[in-house]
Amino acid sequence: MASIVCFLLLLLSIARSCHGGITSPYVRKTEASIDMPVEAFPPPEGDNAPEQVHITQGDLIGRSVIISWVTPKDRFPNTVTYWPTGKKHHHKRQARAVTTFYRYYNYTSGYIHHATLNKLKYNTRYIYELGRHGSTRRFSFATPPQVGPDVPYTFGIMGDLGQTYDSNVTLTHYVSNKKAQTMLFVGDLSYADDHPLHDNVKWDTWGRFVEKSTAYQPWIWAAGNHEIDYAPEIDEHTPFKPYMHRYHVPYRASHSTSPLWYSVKRASAYIIVLSSYSAYGKYTPQYDWLKQEFPKVNRSETPWLIVLVHSPWYNSNNYHYMEGETMRVMFESWVVENKVDLVLAGHVHSYERTYRISNVRYNITNGMSTPIKDPSAPIYITIGDGGNIEGPAYRFTEPQPSYSAFREASFGHASLEIKNRTHAYYTWHRNHDNEPVAADSLWIYNRYWYPEEEHSSASYMV
Ligand SMILES: *[C@@H]1O[C@H](CO)[C@@H](O)[C@H](O)[C@H]1NC(C)=O
Ligand SMILES: *[C@@H]1O[C@H](CO)[C@@H](O)[C@H](O)[C@H]1NC(C)=O
Ligand SMILES: *[C@@H]1O[C@H](CO)[C@@H](O)[C@H](O)[C@H]1NC(C)=O
Ligand SMILES: *[C@@H]1O[C@H](CO)[C@@H](O)[C@H](O)[C@H]1NC(C)=O
Ligand SMILES: *[C@@H]1O[C@H](CO)[C@@H](O)[C@H](O)[C@H]1NC(C)=O
Ligand SMILES: [Fe+2]
């Protein structure tokens, strides 16, 4: 009988599975798109002009910003001049950068600068200037409001961006989304490693490509597999070498010993960044750090607890299937016990959102290996659909597993509008639509303050 009902439902909607949620019939296209040419991203004009400008949070609470940029020829000037807007007699301040460079096979990077601006005022727009006369470049950013439980704040969410024509559509859509104030980026940046000898020029072109967003708002970075750049065949033995030279994060502020895992507080959110490609077994630095991190989260101060990780723990795509499983086994009980609101991942070049489910009962002998509905569990979002050179992952596991609420094989980005301690509005924007269209949307209820069940309104009709 059940199977007949199921069959009838199947006839009613090809998109709905009796076992789980919705598989959108919409597939953007199945072929990979090519990288935009290097010539599309020439260096800015001017002698030794600063380029590849990007900013991120520089401390635990949002009163500090790290500004990073590259100068191609000369190490100097290595300072940034900055001042708040809106004041008549603004006092200009200067910060000096820590400057580095690296070699990778036969590639030598430009001078990579990282300057930390401290003791900024909350909720203030600052102008900053890099370079010297003739090649000066000016940008601005806004500091967040002071950390607090009901502070509204909007995050963008993106992953696996790369630098193809599709990546360009994703980024263009994101930039046109005027609400998003800070990006939560779930890893896989340039895809330089998909090119011969990990062509590190692709790291430079990517830095120029994303500058129109990264110079103006912080991107919170998580590292993906395309950041590893481990290539013993060309004598490159240091994992994450290009990434760690180019992208600095405030890991010491959260007492981490590695830039690959750390946390920041921003407005009403506590964001924990993990590394899928660093040891996380018991007794390892990442494990010990995370164990000590959860008790520090005060939900009266930061109600929203969000985890970023590259490889998803729940995902029903055939592509990279179960690669995140060992990390799920290590950490899932902690995210459930600590009522994490959202776990955001990338890696799989498709979009998927789960129900609140957990699979923490299983102990090998009891056979209880099926995920179950769990109001304390996070929603898992896989958003590795930035549009990179490897193309979309369109082969889903059938039937759709019971934990999967919505999945679609197309490119896009998401936005999380935190309204107060109980409510946040989440939307996913596929590239094919105009930016204001939400192909998947959900009022998310905070797990600590309002652990009610959510009701999704996925508009999977194309
Ligand atoms: C690095 O080596 C490759 C392959 O031999 C060559 O095509 C490329 O031009 C070289 N790049 C530099 C900067 O020397
Ligand atoms: C990237 O997108 C922007 C905005 O739509 C467009 O102006 C630009 O020409 C695109 N770049 C390439 C290389 O297609
Ligand atoms: C948690 O944060 C609230 C609000 O800032 C504060 O009143 C309270 O003392 C904090 N609790 C702990 C244990 O620090
Ligand atoms: C495994 O789970 C079962 C059922 O919950 C329980 O009875 C058993 O003691 C557990 N085994 C171990 C080794 O914890
Ligand atoms: C929180 O925001 C939601 C959505 O805007 C609103 O419905 C609710 O009343 C707000 N709660 C409080 C306590 O203001
Ligand atoms: Fe990946």
Side-chain angles (χ1 to χ4, degrees):
M1 185 60 198
S3 67
I4 293 172
V5 173
C6 185
F7 181 69
L8 287 174
L9 283 174
L10 206 72
L11 286 180
L12 286 173
S13 162
I14 54 158
R16 195 168 266 285
S17 152
C18 294
H19 300 271
I22 293 159
T23 299
S24 167
Y26 185 72
V27 177
R28 177 75 182 104
K29 61 177 178 184
T30 53
E31 73 277 21
S33 113
I34 57 166
D35 271 10
M36 293 178 282
V38 172
E39 297 73 43
F41 300 102
E45 277 175 39
D47 184 46
N48 203 41
E51 56 171 277
Q52 305 173 48
V53 182
H54 52 93
I55 66 172
T56 196
Q57 184 161 320
D59 64 358
L60 189 62
I61 55 169
R63 281 197 63 192
S64 170
V65 165
I66 301 173
I67 296 181
S68 305
W69 73 99
V70 172
T71 51
K73 276 167 44 187
D74 193 346
R75 178 183 279 268
F76 300 103
N78 64 344
T79 51
V80 47
T81 307
Y82 61 102
W83 62 93
T85 57
K87 286 243 177 66
K88 271 239 172 73
H89 305 286
H90 53 240
H91 172 59
K92 290 194 179 181
R93 282 197 276 174
Q94 248 189 10
R96 189 174 303 281
V98 172
T99 302
T100 182
F101 74 96
Y102 70 92
R103 295 199 173 85
Y104 193 95
Y105 187 63
N106 65 352
Y107 168 92
T108 305
S109 75
Y111 294 99
I112 305 170
H113 310 277
H114 304 281
T116 304
L117 280 45
N118 286 317
K119 296 187 180 152
L120 301 171
K121 287 201 258 318
Y122 284 119
N123 234 347
T124 303
R125 181 158 289 277
Y126 285 84
I127 313 272
Y128 67 101
E129 226 170 53
L130 303 167
R132 63 177 146 232
H133 38 273
S135 60
T136 308
R137 298 186 69 207
R138 186 181 278 198
F139 307 90
S140 75
F141 63 83
T143 52
Q146 181 167 2
V147 169
D150 292 297
V151 181
Y153 203 74
T154 300
F155 292 98
I157 309 168
M158 197 188 275
D160 301 64
L161 183 58
Q163 46 192 308
T164 69
Y165 293 93
D166 287 320
S167 321
N168 195 28
V169 178
T170 307
L171 187 67
T172 303
H173 275 216
Y174 178 66
V175 170
S176 77
N177 176 345
K178 293 296 172 213
K179 287 182 189 162
Q181 295 162 289
T182 291
M183 171 66 85
L184 304 177
F185 191 82
V186 292
D188 282 0
L189 286 62
S190 75
Y191 287 74
D193 61 345
D194 273 350
H195 297 272
L197 305 168
H198 294 224
D199 186 2
N200 271 236
V201 170
K202 288 285 181 184
W203 275 107
D204 292 315
T205 51
W206 196 79
R208 294 178 198 143
F209 163 50
V210 295
E211 191 187 77
K212 65 180 171 185
S213 178
T214 58
Y216 299 93
Q217 63 170 250
W219 283 38
I220 307 297
W221 303 105
N225 53 309
H226 289 279
E227 277 66 74
I228 303 174
D229 281 310
Y230 171 67
E233 68 281 8
I234 52 172
D235 270 332
E236 287 300 340
H237 298 278
T238 311
F240 302 105
K241 190 208 266 184
Y243 172 71
M244 296 221 285
H245 278 86
R246 290 167 183 272
Y247 294 89
H248 278 195
V249 299
Y251 66 98
R252 287 195 188 89
S254 55
H255 302 286
S256 165
T257 50
S258 166
L260 300 171
W261 58 88
Y262 63 100
S263 54
V264 292
K265 301 182 202 179
R266 199 164 180 87
S268 43
Y270 199 105
I271 294 149
I272 296 180
V273 178
L274 299 178
S275 172
S276 297
Y277 307 101
S278 307
Y280 44 77
K282 197 163 181 180
Y283 316 119
T284 62
Q286 184 171 207
Y287 179 101
D288 284 351
W289 174 81
L290 185 59
K291 190 170 185 172
Q292 287 167 22
E293 194 60 15
F294 279 120
K296 291 182 194 163
V297 183
N298 178 349
R299 302 298 273 275
S300 298
E301 187 193 28
T302 50
W304 295 92
L305 180 52
I306 300 170
V307 172
L308 314 189
V309 65
H310 186 62
S311 191
W313 302 353
Y314 283 99
N315 179 272
S316 67
N317 202 290
N318 289 356
Y319 189 61
H320 296 313
Y321 189 57
M322 286 182 74
E323 283 181 22
E325 182 64 5
T326 51
M327 198 186 210
R328 180 191 70 75
V329 169
M330 291 312 298
F331 293 149
E332 186 183 14
S333 59
W334 291 355
V335 308
V336 175
E337 281 158 22
N338 291 287
K339 298 187 179 354
V340 169
D341 293 293
L342 286 170
V343 175
L344 309 176
H347 201 40
V348 176
H349 304 157
S350 229
Y351 173 71
E352 186 161 6
R353 171 172 59 78
T354 71
Y355 296 111
R356 294 197 181 274
I357 42 88
S358 71
N359 188 3
V360 293
R361 302 170 304 164
Y362 184 49
N363 66 7
I364 298 188
T365 57
N366 65 13
M368 299 196 289
S369 60
T370 309
I372 54 161
K373 208 166 149 176
D374 187 339
S376 293
I379 292 174
Y380 294 87
I381 288 166
T382 303
I383 190 157
D385 60 348
N388 61 72
I389 195 170
E390 295 173 355
Y394 52 90
R395 288 187 2 255
F396 287 112
T397 302
E398 298 296 351
Q400 186 165 11
S402 57
Y403 59 76
S404 174
F406 181 80
R407 52 186 194 175
E408 180 177 312
S410 47
F411 298 133
H413 76 275
S415 158
L416 180 72
E417 293 173 41
I418 295 175
K419 305 289 187 188
N420 52 37
R421 73 182 69 192
T422 54
H423 286 63
Y425 189 59
Y426 169 83
T427 51
W428 174 67
H429 304 264
R430 71 163 81 91
N431 283 358
H432 180 72
D433 300 322
N434 287 326
E435 173 57 32
V437 178
D440 182 30
S441 61
L442 187 70
W443 275 101
I444 294 182
Y445 303 144
N446 187 275
R447 286 305 95 186
Y448 183 85
W449 290 100
Y450 190 58
E452 301 292 314
E453 192 173 349
E454 289 106 343
H455 303 281
S456 71
S457 60
S459 64
Y460 56 95
M461 301 309 287
V462 188

